[in-house]
Amino acid sequence: MSDKRTGITVFSGGTAANSLVDVFNRIIGKKNCQLNYIIPISDNGGSSSELIRFIGGPSVGDIRSRLVRLIPNPSNDQEKAALKALFEYRLPGDPSKARIEWLDMVEARHLLWAYISSPKRELIRSILNTLNLEIVKRTRPTSTFNFAEASIGNMFLTGARIFSGSFESAIYLLSMICSIPPNVNVLPAINSNFTHHISAGLGDGTTIAGQVAISHPSAPTALPDDVKISLATPSFPPLLHGGHGHGTPSFFHPAAMAMAMHDGGGNKLPLPQHLTVSSGSGSSTSTVPASSV
């Protein structure tokens, strides 16, 4: 019997240490102890970016990646192999085709369900349908969810968090479905139902906000969901308008605005005349001078 007071704790990113899972499994097998993975929830790129933008909550991609990697002996068990394939699966890159395939998934018509037992299939489907209902409730003519390249595992964890009201419970449920050994735990660096981002301070005093902007700068992705800013000046620099390929604009958190007030040559750009600021819950909207943000 393992001693829960001793064991191994690994701090790592999502995919970085996946190649070491087998090594750690052998170690705890010999030592008969607990193994804890502490995983960050700050990744605001890829499939996680769209879930953060539209639904809010913590980034789940790195957590999902580690849980699926921990499925024991998937090559020797048909159902475990099917669960691994399901939770690793990504919808097509075309938004329209992705939406159609998503409906096939939640309505149990997709081929990926073929080797998953009925009890597990219906449990997983109920969680995916919980998320689907939330997406339908939030959809507006000017704001739709982009299903392109969405990870089914990420969708499941988000739906389970919405259903239970607890990120910790969502991780536990996926662990149970995937038969993760009880002496192995995957824990978020912050147990939270809210979005968290990391920032980097540079030597010149500027701040870069968001994991994607730090690791591989590109067009802005999801930033904190408690404040959304729509730009009121059409001539504002294209960088700030971003976009997700389906008519829904990107939004900038006030803390990140200062970074975008310069062009590539270091010249300061004019602020828009005003900014429209609304809460993430959509409960209030106000227009304020740009200088006050």
Side-chain angles (χ1 to χ4, degrees), residues 188-253:
I190 303 174
N191 184 25
S192 171
N193 282 332
F194 300 96
T195 304
H196 295 265
H197 294 274
I198 59 174
S199 298
L202 304 183
D204 61 2
T206 59
T207 300
I208 300 177
Q211 182 170 316
V212 170
I214 294 171
S215 61
H216 39 281
S218 61
T221 56
L223 281 173
D225 56 356
D226 56 338
V227 177
K228 292 182 177 180
I229 302 177
S230 62
L231 299 168
T233 305
S235 60
F236 207 71
L239 172 63
L240 294 184
H241 290 283
H244 295 265
H246 53 88
T248 305
S250 300
F251 297 98
F252 258 58
H253 187 270

Short mmCIF file of all heavy atoms in Angstrom, two decimals, residues 188-253:
data_model
loop_
_atom_site.label_atom_id
_atom_site.label_comp_id
_atom_site.label_asym_id
_atom_site.label_seq_id
_atom_site.Cartn_x
_atom_site.Cartn_y
_atom_site.Cartn_z
N PRO A 188 -4.13 20.90 -11.20
CA PRO A 188 -3.86 22.20 -11.82
C PRO A 188 -3.00 23.05 -10.90
O PRO A 188 -3.10 22.97 -9.67
CB PRO A 188 -5.27 22.81 -11.98
CG PRO A 188 -6.07 22.17 -10.89
CD PRO A 188 -5.52 20.78 -10.72
N ALA A 189 -2.14 23.87 -11.48
CA ALA A 189 -1.28 24.75 -10.68
C ALA A 189 -2.14 25.69 -9.83
O ALA A 189 -1.75 26.05 -8.71
CB ALA A 189 -0.35 25.55 -11.60
N ILE A 190 -3.30 26.07 -10.36
CA ILE A 190 -4.28 26.87 -9.62
C ILE A 190 -5.63 26.18 -9.80
O ILE A 190 -6.09 26.01 -10.93
CB ILE A 190 -4.36 28.32 -10.13
CG1 ILE A 190 -2.99 29.00 -10.06
CG2 ILE A 190 -5.40 29.12 -9.35
CD1 ILE A 190 -2.98 30.39 -10.69
N ASN A 191 -6.26 25.78 -8.71
CA ASN A 191 -7.58 25.16 -8.80
C ASN A 191 -8.63 26.26 -8.84
O ASN A 191 -9.01 26.82 -7.81
CB ASN A 191 -7.81 24.23 -7.60
CG ASN A 191 -9.14 23.49 -7.71
OD1 ASN A 191 -9.66 23.30 -8.81
ND2 ASN A 191 -9.68 23.08 -6.58
N SER A 192 -9.08 26.59 -10.04
CA SER A 192 -9.92 27.77 -10.22
C SER A 192 -10.90 27.55 -11.35
O SER A 192 -10.65 26.79 -12.28
CB SER A 192 -9.03 28.98 -10.54
OG SER A 192 -9.80 30.10 -10.92
N ASN A 193 -12.04 28.23 -11.27
CA ASN A 193 -13.02 28.22 -12.35
C ASN A 193 -12.86 29.46 -13.24
O ASN A 193 -13.71 29.71 -14.09
CB ASN A 193 -14.45 28.17 -11.81
CG ASN A 193 -14.84 26.78 -11.34
OD1 ASN A 193 -14.34 25.79 -11.86
ND2 ASN A 193 -15.73 26.71 -10.37
N PHE A 194 -11.80 30.21 -13.02
CA PHE A 194 -11.59 31.45 -13.77
C PHE A 194 -10.34 31.35 -14.65
O PHE A 194 -9.49 30.48 -14.45
CB PHE A 194 -11.47 32.63 -12.81
CG PHE A 194 -12.68 32.84 -11.95
CD1 PHE A 194 -12.73 32.32 -10.67
CD2 PHE A 194 -13.79 33.52 -12.44
CE1 PHE A 194 -13.85 32.49 -9.88
CE2 PHE A 194 -14.92 33.69 -11.67
CZ PHE A 194 -14.95 33.18 -10.38
N THR A 195 -10.25 32.25 -15.60
CA THR A 195 -9.11 32.29 -16.51
C THR A 195 -7.92 32.95 -15.83
O THR A 195 -8.07 33.98 -15.17
CB THR A 195 -9.48 33.07 -17.79
OG1 THR A 195 -10.63 32.50 -18.39
CG2 THR A 195 -8.32 33.05 -18.78
N HIS A 196 -6.76 32.34 -15.98
CA HIS A 196 -5.53 32.90 -15.42
C HIS A 196 -4.48 32.98 -16.52
O HIS A 196 -4.36 32.06 -17.33
CB HIS A 196 -5.02 32.06 -14.27
CG HIS A 196 -5.93 32.04 -13.08
ND1 HIS A 196 -5.78 32.89 -12.01
CD2 HIS A 196 -7.02 31.27 -12.81
CE1 HIS A 196 -6.73 32.65 -11.12
NE2 HIS A 196 -7.50 31.67 -11.58
N HIS A 197 -3.74 34.08 -16.54
CA HIS A 197 -2.71 34.28 -17.55
C HIS A 197 -1.39 34.61 -16.89
O HIS A 197 -1.34 35.17 -15.78
CB HIS A 197 -3.09 35.42 -18.51
CG HIS A 197 -4.29 35.10 -19.34
ND1 HIS A 197 -4.22 34.43 -20.54
CD2 HIS A 197 -5.61 35.36 -19.14
CE1 HIS A 197 -5.44 34.29 -21.04
NE2 HIS A 197 -6.29 34.84 -20.21
N ILE A 198 -0.30 34.28 -17.55
CA ILE A 198 1.02 34.66 -17.08
C ILE A 198 1.50 35.87 -17.87
O ILE A 198 1.06 36.11 -18.99
CB ILE A 198 2.03 33.50 -17.22
CG1 ILE A 198 2.16 33.06 -18.68
CG2 ILE A 198 1.63 32.34 -16.32
CD1 ILE A 198 3.25 32.01 -18.90
N SER A 199 2.40 36.65 -17.26
CA SER A 199 2.97 37.82 -17.91
C SER A 199 4.48 37.81 -17.72
O SER A 199 4.99 37.22 -16.77
CB SER A 199 2.38 39.11 -17.32
OG SER A 199 0.98 39.17 -17.53
N ALA A 200 5.15 38.47 -18.62
CA ALA A 200 6.60 38.57 -18.54
C ALA A 200 7.02 40.04 -18.58
O ALA A 200 6.58 40.78 -19.46
CB ALA A 200 7.26 37.81 -19.69
N GLY A 201 7.83 40.44 -17.60
CA GLY A 201 8.35 41.80 -17.59
C GLY A 201 9.68 41.86 -18.31
O GLY A 201 10.58 41.06 -18.04
N LEU A 202 9.81 42.78 -19.24
CA LEU A 202 11.04 42.92 -20.03
C LEU A 202 11.97 43.96 -19.41
O LEU A 202 11.56 44.77 -18.57
CB LEU A 202 10.70 43.30 -21.47
CG LEU A 202 9.75 42.35 -22.21
CD1 LEU A 202 9.57 42.82 -23.64
CD2 LEU A 202 10.24 40.92 -22.16
N GLY A 203 13.21 43.91 -19.85
CA GLY A 203 14.20 44.82 -19.31
C GLY A 203 13.88 46.28 -19.56
O GLY A 203 14.29 47.15 -18.80
N ASP A 204 13.14 46.57 -20.65
CA ASP A 204 12.82 47.97 -20.95
C ASP A 204 11.58 48.47 -20.22
O ASP A 204 11.11 49.57 -20.46
CB ASP A 204 12.65 48.16 -22.46
CG ASP A 204 11.50 47.33 -23.03
OD1 ASP A 204 10.81 46.63 -22.24
OD2 ASP A 204 11.29 47.37 -24.25
N GLY A 205 11.04 47.61 -19.33
CA GLY A 205 9.89 48.03 -18.54
C GLY A 205 8.54 47.63 -19.11
O GLY A 205 7.52 47.79 -18.44
N THR A 206 8.49 47.12 -20.33
CA THR A 206 7.23 46.70 -20.91
C THR A 206 6.84 45.31 -20.41
O THR A 206 7.67 44.57 -19.89
CB THR A 206 7.29 46.67 -22.45
OG1 THR A 206 8.33 45.75 -22.85
CG2 THR A 206 7.60 48.05 -23.01
N THR A 207 5.57 44.99 -20.55
CA THR A 207 5.04 43.71 -20.08
C THR A 207 4.37 42.97 -21.23
O THR A 207 3.60 43.57 -21.99
CB THR A 207 4.01 43.92 -18.96
OG1 THR A 207 4.64 44.60 -17.86
CG2 THR A 207 3.45 42.59 -18.47
N ILE A 208 4.67 41.70 -21.36
CA ILE A 208 4.00 40.86 -22.35
C ILE A 208 3.02 39.96 -21.60
O ILE A 208 3.41 39.25 -20.66
CB ILE A 208 5.01 39.98 -23.12
CG1 ILE A 208 6.02 40.85 -23.85
CG2 ILE A 208 4.28 39.08 -24.12
CD1 ILE A 208 7.10 40.06 -24.57
N ALA A 209 1.74 40.01 -21.98
CA ALA A 209 0.70 39.25 -21.28
C ALA A 209 0.25 38.08 -22.13
O ALA A 209 -0.02 38.22 -23.32
CB ALA A 209 -0.48 40.16 -20.95
N GLY A 210 0.15 36.91 -21.53
CA GLY A 210 -0.35 35.73 -22.23
C GLY A 210 0.75 34.78 -22.62
O GLY A 210 1.80 35.19 -23.13
N GLN A 211 0.53 33.47 -22.40
CA GLN A 211 1.57 32.47 -22.67
C GLN A 211 1.96 32.43 -24.14
O GLN A 211 3.13 32.30 -24.48
CB GLN A 211 1.07 31.09 -22.23
CG GLN A 211 2.08 29.97 -22.43
CD GLN A 211 1.66 28.68 -21.78
OE1 GLN A 211 1.19 28.69 -20.65
NE2 GLN A 211 1.81 27.57 -22.49
N VAL A 212 0.98 32.56 -25.03
CA VAL A 212 1.28 32.51 -26.46
C VAL A 212 2.15 33.68 -26.88
O VAL A 212 3.11 33.52 -27.63
CB VAL A 212 -0.03 32.49 -27.29
CG1 VAL A 212 0.26 32.69 -28.77
CG2 VAL A 212 -0.77 31.18 -27.09
N ALA A 213 1.83 34.87 -26.37
CA ALA A 213 2.61 36.06 -26.72
C ALA A 213 4.04 35.94 -26.22
O ALA A 213 4.97 36.48 -26.82
CB ALA A 213 1.95 37.31 -26.14
N ILE A 214 4.24 35.22 -25.12
CA ILE A 214 5.58 35.06 -24.56
C ILE A 214 6.37 34.01 -25.32
O ILE A 214 7.53 34.22 -25.68
CB ILE A 214 5.49 34.66 -23.06
CG1 ILE A 214 4.87 35.81 -22.25
CG2 ILE A 214 6.87 34.30 -22.51
CD1 ILE A 214 4.54 35.43 -20.83
N SER A 215 5.75 32.85 -25.57
CA SER A 215 6.48 31.73 -26.16
C SER A 215 6.63 31.83 -27.67
O SER A 215 7.68 31.52 -28.21
CB SER A 215 5.80 30.41 -25.80
OG SER A 215 4.47 30.38 -26.31
N HIS A 216 5.59 32.25 -28.37
CA HIS A 216 5.67 32.43 -29.82
C HIS A 216 4.70 33.53 -30.23
O HIS A 216 3.56 33.26 -30.58
CB HIS A 216 5.39 31.13 -30.59
CG HIS A 216 4.29 30.30 -30.02
ND1 HIS A 216 4.45 29.49 -28.92
CD2 HIS A 216 3.00 30.15 -30.40
CE1 HIS A 216 3.33 28.87 -28.65
NE2 HIS A 216 2.42 29.26 -29.52
N PRO A 217 5.17 34.79 -30.17
CA PRO A 217 4.32 35.94 -30.46
C PRO A 217 3.62 35.82 -31.81
O PRO A 217 4.21 35.40 -32.80
CB PRO A 217 5.29 37.12 -30.45
CG PRO A 217 6.43 36.65 -29.60
CD PRO A 217 6.55 35.17 -29.87
N SER A 218 2.33 36.17 -31.81
CA SER A 218 1.53 36.13 -33.03
C SER A 218 0.33 37.04 -32.81
O SER A 218 0.31 37.84 -31.88
CB SER A 218 1.09 34.70 -33.34
OG SER A 218 0.28 34.20 -32.29
N ALA A 219 -0.68 36.88 -33.65
CA ALA A 219 -1.92 37.64 -33.45
C ALA A 219 -2.50 37.30 -32.09
O ALA A 219 -2.37 36.17 -31.62
CB ALA A 219 -2.93 37.31 -34.55
N PRO A 220 -3.14 38.25 -31.40
CA PRO A 220 -3.64 38.02 -30.05
C PRO A 220 -4.68 36.92 -29.99
O PRO A 220 -5.52 36.78 -30.87
CB PRO A 220 -4.25 39.37 -29.65
CG PRO A 220 -4.56 40.03 -30.95
CD PRO A 220 -3.48 39.60 -31.88
N THR A 221 -4.61 36.10 -28.90
CA THR A 221 -5.64 35.10 -28.64
C THR A 221 -6.37 35.49 -27.37
O THR A 221 -6.40 36.66 -27.02
CB THR A 221 -4.99 33.70 -28.51
OG1 THR A 221 -3.99 33.76 -27.49
CG2 THR A 221 -4.34 33.27 -29.81
N ALA A 222 -6.96 34.55 -26.68
CA ALA A 222 -7.79 34.87 -25.53
C ALA A 222 -7.00 35.50 -24.41
O ALA A 222 -5.93 35.04 -24.04
CB ALA A 222 -8.49 33.61 -25.03
N LEU A 223 -7.53 36.56 -23.85
CA LEU A 223 -7.00 37.18 -22.66
C LEU A 223 -8.11 37.17 -21.60
O LEU A 223 -9.21 36.70 -21.89
CB LEU A 223 -6.51 38.60 -22.97
CG LEU A 223 -5.14 38.65 -23.65
CD1 LEU A 223 -4.81 40.06 -24.08
CD2 LEU A 223 -4.05 38.13 -22.72
N PRO A 224 -7.87 37.63 -20.37
CA PRO A 224 -8.85 37.47 -19.29
C PRO A 224 -10.27 37.79 -19.71
O PRO A 224 -10.55 38.77 -20.38
CB PRO A 224 -8.33 38.44 -18.23
CG PRO A 224 -6.85 38.40 -18.41
CD PRO A 224 -6.65 38.29 -19.90
N ASP A 225 -11.22 36.93 -19.25
CA ASP A 225 -12.60 37.03 -19.72
C ASP A 225 -13.48 37.91 -18.84
O ASP A 225 -14.69 37.96 -19.04
CB ASP A 225 -13.22 35.63 -19.83
CG ASP A 225 -13.15 34.85 -18.53
OD1 ASP A 225 -12.56 35.34 -17.55
OD2 ASP A 225 -13.70 33.75 -18.50
N ASP A 226 -12.90 38.61 -17.84
CA ASP A 226 -13.74 39.46 -17.00
C ASP A 226 -13.97 40.82 -17.63
O ASP A 226 -14.90 41.53 -17.27
CB ASP A 226 -13.10 39.64 -15.61
CG ASP A 226 -11.68 40.20 -15.69
OD1 ASP A 226 -11.06 40.05 -16.76
OD2 ASP A 226 -11.22 40.78 -14.69
N VAL A 227 -13.14 41.22 -18.60
CA VAL A 227 -13.30 42.50 -19.27
C VAL A 227 -13.13 42.30 -20.76
O VAL A 227 -12.20 41.64 -21.19
CB VAL A 227 -12.26 43.53 -18.78
CG1 VAL A 227 -12.40 44.83 -19.56
CG2 VAL A 227 -12.42 43.80 -17.29
N LYS A 228 -14.07 42.83 -21.54
CA LYS A 228 -13.96 42.78 -22.99
C LYS A 228 -14.00 44.20 -23.53
O LYS A 228 -14.78 45.03 -23.09
CB LYS A 228 -15.10 41.96 -23.60
CG LYS A 228 -15.01 40.48 -23.27
CD LYS A 228 -16.13 39.72 -23.94
CE LYS A 228 -16.01 38.22 -23.66
NZ LYS A 228 -17.09 37.46 -24.32
N ILE A 229 -13.15 44.48 -24.51
CA ILE A 229 -13.07 45.81 -25.07
C ILE A 229 -13.27 45.74 -26.57
O ILE A 229 -12.57 45.00 -27.25
CB ILE A 229 -11.70 46.46 -24.77
CG1 ILE A 229 -11.48 46.51 -23.26
CG2 ILE A 229 -11.60 47.83 -25.39
CD1 ILE A 229 -10.13 47.05 -22.88
N SER A 230 -14.25 46.45 -27.07
CA SER A 230 -14.43 46.52 -28.52
C SER A 230 -13.91 47.87 -28.99
O SER A 230 -14.18 48.90 -28.38
CB SER A 230 -15.91 46.37 -28.90
OG SER A 230 -16.67 47.41 -28.35
N LEU A 231 -13.15 47.89 -30.06
CA LEU A 231 -12.52 49.11 -30.53
C LEU A 231 -13.51 49.94 -31.33
O LEU A 231 -14.18 49.45 -32.22
CB LEU A 231 -11.31 48.75 -31.38
CG LEU A 231 -10.24 47.97 -30.59
CD1 LEU A 231 -9.22 47.39 -31.56
CD2 LEU A 231 -9.58 48.87 -29.59
N ALA A 232 -13.60 51.22 -31.02
CA ALA A 232 -14.59 52.07 -31.64
C ALA A 232 -14.05 52.83 -32.84
O ALA A 232 -14.78 53.52 -33.52
CB ALA A 232 -15.14 53.08 -30.61
N THR A 233 -12.75 52.75 -33.09
CA THR A 233 -12.15 53.47 -34.21
C THR A 233 -11.76 52.50 -35.31
O THR A 233 -10.84 51.71 -35.13
CB THR A 233 -10.90 54.25 -33.75
OG1 THR A 233 -11.27 55.09 -32.66
CG2 THR A 233 -10.32 55.07 -34.88
N PRO A 234 -12.45 52.48 -36.48
CA PRO A 234 -12.16 51.51 -37.54
C PRO A 234 -10.73 51.57 -38.03
O PRO A 234 -10.20 50.58 -38.50
CB PRO A 234 -13.15 51.91 -38.65
CG PRO A 234 -14.23 52.65 -37.94
CD PRO A 234 -13.56 53.37 -36.82
N SER A 235 -10.08 52.74 -37.93
CA SER A 235 -8.72 52.87 -38.46
C SER A 235 -7.66 52.42 -37.47
O SER A 235 -6.48 52.57 -37.72
CB SER A 235 -8.45 54.33 -38.83
OG SER A 235 -8.60 55.17 -37.69
N PHE A 236 -8.09 51.84 -36.34
CA PHE A 236 -7.13 51.40 -35.34
C PHE A 236 -6.25 50.31 -35.92
O PHE A 236 -6.68 49.56 -36.79
CB PHE A 236 -7.86 50.89 -34.09
CG PHE A 236 -7.05 51.02 -32.85
CD1 PHE A 236 -6.80 52.27 -32.30
CD2 PHE A 236 -6.54 49.90 -32.23
CE1 PHE A 236 -6.04 52.37 -31.15
CE2 PHE A 236 -5.79 50.00 -31.07
CZ PHE A 236 -5.53 51.25 -30.53
N PRO A 237 -5.02 50.15 -35.47
CA PRO A 237 -4.08 49.18 -36.05
C PRO A 237 -4.68 47.79 -36.16
O PRO A 237 -5.33 47.31 -35.23
CB PRO A 237 -2.92 49.19 -35.03
CG PRO A 237 -2.97 50.55 -34.43
CD PRO A 237 -4.41 50.93 -34.37
N PRO A 238 -4.53 47.11 -37.31
CA PRO A 238 -5.11 45.78 -37.53
C PRO A 238 -4.73 44.77 -36.46
O PRO A 238 -5.47 43.86 -36.19
CB PRO A 238 -4.52 45.37 -38.90
CG PRO A 238 -4.17 46.66 -39.57
CD PRO A 238 -3.76 47.59 -38.47
N LEU A 239 -3.54 44.93 -35.85
CA LEU A 239 -3.10 43.98 -34.84
C LEU A 239 -4.14 43.83 -33.74
O LEU A 239 -4.36 42.75 -33.21
CB LEU A 239 -1.78 44.45 -34.23
CG LEU A 239 -1.25 43.68 -33.01
CD1 LEU A 239 -0.95 42.24 -33.41
CD2 LEU A 239 -0.02 44.34 -32.42
N LEU A 240 -4.80 44.93 -33.40
CA LEU A 240 -5.74 44.89 -32.30
C LEU A 240 -7.08 44.29 -32.68
O LEU A 240 -7.86 43.91 -31.83
CB LEU A 240 -5.97 46.30 -31.73
CG LEU A 240 -4.75 46.93 -31.05
CD1 LEU A 240 -5.13 48.27 -30.45
CD2 LEU A 240 -4.20 46.02 -29.97
N HIS A 241 -7.37 44.22 -33.96
CA HIS A 241 -8.65 43.67 -34.39
C HIS A 241 -8.60 42.15 -34.45
O HIS A 241 -9.62 41.51 -34.28
CB HIS A 241 -9.06 44.26 -35.75
CG HIS A 241 -9.44 45.69 -35.65
ND1 HIS A 241 -10.65 46.11 -35.15
CD2 HIS A 241 -8.75 46.82 -35.95
CE1 HIS A 241 -10.72 47.44 -35.17
NE2 HIS A 241 -9.58 47.89 -35.65
N GLY A 242 -7.43 41.59 -34.71
CA GLY A 242 -7.25 40.14 -34.68
C GLY A 242 -8.33 39.43 -35.45
O GLY A 242 -8.56 39.67 -36.62
N GLY A 243 -9.06 38.54 -34.80
CA GLY A 243 -10.13 37.79 -35.47
C GLY A 243 -9.89 36.32 -35.37
O GLY A 243 -8.78 35.85 -35.24
N HIS A 244 -10.97 35.55 -35.39
CA HIS A 244 -10.89 34.10 -35.27
C HIS A 244 -11.39 33.40 -36.53
O HIS A 244 -11.67 32.21 -36.51
CB HIS A 244 -11.70 33.63 -34.06
CG HIS A 244 -11.13 34.12 -32.76
ND1 HIS A 244 -10.26 33.38 -31.99
CD2 HIS A 244 -11.26 35.31 -32.11
CE1 HIS A 244 -9.91 34.06 -30.91
NE2 HIS A 244 -10.51 35.24 -30.96
N GLY A 245 -11.54 34.12 -37.61
CA GLY A 245 -11.92 33.48 -38.86
C GLY A 245 -13.40 33.24 -39.02
O GLY A 245 -13.84 32.59 -39.95
N HIS A 246 -14.22 33.79 -38.10
CA HIS A 246 -15.66 33.55 -38.24
C HIS A 246 -16.45 34.79 -37.84
O HIS A 246 -17.56 34.70 -37.33
CB HIS A 246 -16.09 32.35 -37.39
CG HIS A 246 -15.67 32.44 -35.96
ND1 HIS A 246 -16.44 33.05 -35.00
CD2 HIS A 246 -14.55 32.02 -35.34
CE1 HIS A 246 -15.83 32.99 -33.83
NE2 HIS A 246 -14.69 32.37 -34.01
N GLY A 247 -15.85 35.96 -38.03
CA GLY A 247 -16.59 37.19 -37.83
C GLY A 247 -16.64 37.67 -36.40
O GLY A 247 -17.28 38.66 -36.10
N THR A 248 -16.00 37.00 -35.46
CA THR A 248 -16.00 37.41 -34.07
C THR A 248 -14.66 38.07 -33.75
O THR A 248 -13.63 37.46 -33.93
CB THR A 248 -16.21 36.20 -33.14
OG1 THR A 248 -17.41 35.56 -33.54
CG2 THR A 248 -16.31 36.65 -31.70
N PRO A 249 -14.66 39.33 -33.28
CA PRO A 249 -13.40 40.02 -33.05
C PRO A 249 -12.66 39.50 -31.83
O PRO A 249 -13.24 38.93 -30.92
CB PRO A 249 -13.85 41.47 -32.83
CG PRO A 249 -15.23 41.34 -32.25
CD PRO A 249 -15.83 40.15 -32.95
N SER A 250 -11.34 39.73 -31.83
CA SER A 250 -10.54 39.46 -30.64
C SER A 250 -10.72 40.64 -29.68
O SER A 250 -11.08 41.73 -30.08
CB SER A 250 -9.07 39.33 -31.01
OG SER A 250 -8.87 38.28 -31.91
N PHE A 251 -10.42 40.42 -28.41
CA PHE A 251 -10.55 41.48 -27.44
C PHE A 251 -9.25 41.62 -26.65
O PHE A 251 -8.54 40.65 -26.44
CB PHE A 251 -11.71 41.19 -26.48
CG PHE A 251 -13.04 41.13 -27.18
CD1 PHE A 251 -13.60 39.91 -27.54
CD2 PHE A 251 -13.71 42.29 -27.51
CE1 PHE A 251 -14.82 39.85 -28.20
CE2 PHE A 251 -14.92 42.24 -28.17
CZ PHE A 251 -15.48 41.02 -28.51
N PHE A 252 -8.99 42.83 -26.19
CA PHE A 252 -7.77 43.09 -25.44
C PHE A 252 -8.11 43.48 -24.02
O PHE A 252 -9.01 44.26 -23.76
CB PHE A 252 -7.00 44.24 -26.11
CG PHE A 252 -5.85 43.76 -26.92
CD1 PHE A 252 -6.05 42.87 -27.96
CD2 PHE A 252 -4.57 44.19 -26.65
CE1 PHE A 252 -4.98 42.43 -28.72
CE2 PHE A 252 -3.50 43.75 -27.41
CZ PHE A 252 -3.70 42.88 -28.44
N HIS A 253 -7.36 42.94 -23.07
CA HIS A 253 -7.47 43.35 -21.68
C HIS A 253 -6.75 44.68 -21.53
O HIS A 253 -5.73 44.92 -22.17
CB HIS A 253 -6.82 42.28 -20.79
CG HIS A 253 -7.04 42.52 -19.33
ND1 HIS A 253 -6.17 43.25 -18.58
CD2 HIS A 253 -8.03 42.10 -18.51
CE1 HIS A 253 -6.60 43.29 -17.33
NE2 HIS A 253 -7.73 42.60 -17.26
#
